[in-house]
Amino acid sequence: MIGSLATQSINRKLAKALIRLAPGNLQFSEIPFRDLPLYSYDYDDDFPQVARTFKAAIKASDAILFVTPEYNRSIPGGLKNAIDWASRPYGTNAFAKKPSAVIGTSPGAIGTAVAQQSLRSVLSFCNSPQMNAPEAYIQFTPGMITDDGEVTVESTEAFLRNYMAEFRTFIAHVLTVLPRED
């Protein structure tokens, strides 16, 4: 899930890079949430189709990788809204027992650290096992990642490749202990 709705987002570039650098046995597909209305419990008895489709995509996934920017020292409102849709109504939380990892990039030196902490808190409440290490707060610099996801800084490429290998290992461990429920 890419936290930014912007088509030219640097976090979208980071997501493309992560997919390129991931171990070959991981498959990715973006779970879009742009078209979700603002969540209200008024919908709980009859979710709109867009919300049912969104929630089904999460349930069908083995794990969720969140790639998010930081807005006002937290996560973007659209991402929080999407998490609300996926975790409601009570007892139908699509994130429960779903392995997750959080990463993000920003031009600032702390590279989304505060947003990631906020997102981790929300995911904890949603009972999503989280990869806690390695942490990845990426300071984005111009040209670091091309539009098609090629990382041009060798040390950053090595770090991101390792991050994705660790994510694969984390998913395998969690799914060994908490097998998928279909």
Side-chain angles (χ1 to χ4, degrees), residues 27-72:
Q27 296 178 350
F28 293 88
S29 59
E30 182 178 353
I31 303 175
F33 55 86
R34 170 184 298 278
D35 296 330
L36 290 170
L38 290 176
Y39 173 77
S40 167
Y41 65 80
D42 293 338
Y43 291 110
D44 284 358
D45 290 332
D46 187 23
F47 264 35
Q49 184 59 50
V50 65
R52 288 194 304 267
T53 301
F54 171 73
K55 195 166 183 171
I58 292 168
K59 286 184 176 184
S61 300
D62 287 331
I64 305 293
L65 176 62
F66 291 88
V67 184
T68 188
E70 183 169 296
Y71 290 1
N72 299 321

Side-chain angles (χ1 to χ4, degrees), residues 83-158:
I83 293 169
D84 290 346
W85 275 107
S87 63
R88 303 291 178 182
Y90 181 80
T92 65
N93 176 10
F95 292 113
K97 302 179 182 178
K98 184 78 58 182
S100 63
V102 177
I103 189 171
T105 189
S106 73
I110 62 171
T112 72
V114 181
Q116 288 188 42
Q117 190 60 37
S118 178
L119 180 53
R120 289 178 189 283
S121 178
V122 173
L123 293 172
S124 290
F125 181 79
C126 290
N127 196 25
S128 175
Q130 299 169 54
M131 183 174 83
N132 294 313
E135 294 178 316
Y137 312 111
I138 309 300
Q139 182 178 13
F140 191 87
T141 57
M144 182 178 79
I145 302 173
T146 66
D147 288 343
D148 65 349
E150 181 183 345
V151 181
T152 62
V153 178
E154 190 175 321
S155 60
T156 302
E157 179 182 348

